[in-house]
Amino acid sequence: MSVDTTAVETVNQAFYTAIENADLDRMTEIWAEDLEGDQVSCVHPGWPIINGRQEVLRSWALIMANTPYIQFVLTDVRVMVLGDVAILTCEENILTAGDEGDSSFAAGKVVASNTFVRTSGGWRLWLHHGSPVLQTDDDEEEEAA
């Protein structure tokens, strides 16, 4: 595994840890700055595309403020580094809690693509795209077995 691959995986894990800990300051450090003419982008599952660093960070603040508990277990993590750009794909296995006072939990799966750019401050997130994986009846039968 290359030094770059390890560094990208480390920043990627920090991204998910920031979500779990509702750490907007850390999230702000992880996202790249917009460039003249180019903006970072984010696609949350079921949302339209969000462009621009300020808008992306605002979306994370909203999610963090309205998510009492979330945990990610990442599987099938794959990294490809092409010069100053790295693409990481993974499956996000997510556990979330219900509203405050509700002791229920929900589980789900999202496939994600995270694109990082190399900056003078290290690797920074340029694009996050998460798509929900819809559970089929066959999946439910496998889980019950």
Side-chain angles (χ1 to χ4, degrees):
M1 186 177 309
S2 76
V3 171
D4 284 336
T5 299
T6 301
V8 168
E9 287 181 349
T10 298
V11 173
N12 191 68
Q13 187 57 55
F15 168 65
Y16 288 99
T17 299
I19 300 168
E20 290 176 340
N21 295 335
D23 188 344
L24 191 58
D25 290 337
R26 183 69 177 114
M27 182 68 74
T28 300
E29 294 169 1
I30 291 166
W31 279 88
E33 297 287 337
D34 290 335
L35 302 174
E36 190 172 327
D38 293 314
Q39 295 180 317
V40 301
S41 299
C42 184
V43 180
H44 299 293
W47 291 33
I49 191 166
I50 301 166
N51 294 305
R53 188 169 193 273
Q54 184 176 9
E55 291 78 9
V56 167
L57 292 172
R58 187 178 299 125
S59 75
W60 285 112
L62 182 64
I63 289 170
M64 291 174 182
N66 290 288
T67 306
Y69 175 84
I70 190 164
Q71 179 182 1
F72 293 88
V73 176
L74 303 181
T75 56
D76 199 21
V77 177
R78 298 171 190 223
V79 180
M80 181 172 59
V81 178
L82 302 166
D84 291 336
V85 175
I87 301 166
L88 184 146
T89 58
C90 64
E91 291 183 1
E92 303 172 356
N93 300 280
I94 304 168
L95 182 64
T96 59
D99 295 327
E100 283 189 39
D102 181 359
S103 61
S104 67
F105 286 86
K109 183 181 286 189
V110 170
V111 290
S113 299
N114 295 325
T115 302
F116 297 87
V117 293
R118 188 191 320 262
T119 70
S120 59
W123 290 98
R124 297 293 180 259
L125 189 56
W126 184 260
L127 168 70
H128 169 74
H129 185 160
S131 295
V133 176
L134 303 178
Q135 190 169 20
T136 65
D137 291 338
D138 292 340
D139 293 335
E140 290 174 2
E141 290 172 10
E142 287 176 20
E143 287 179 7

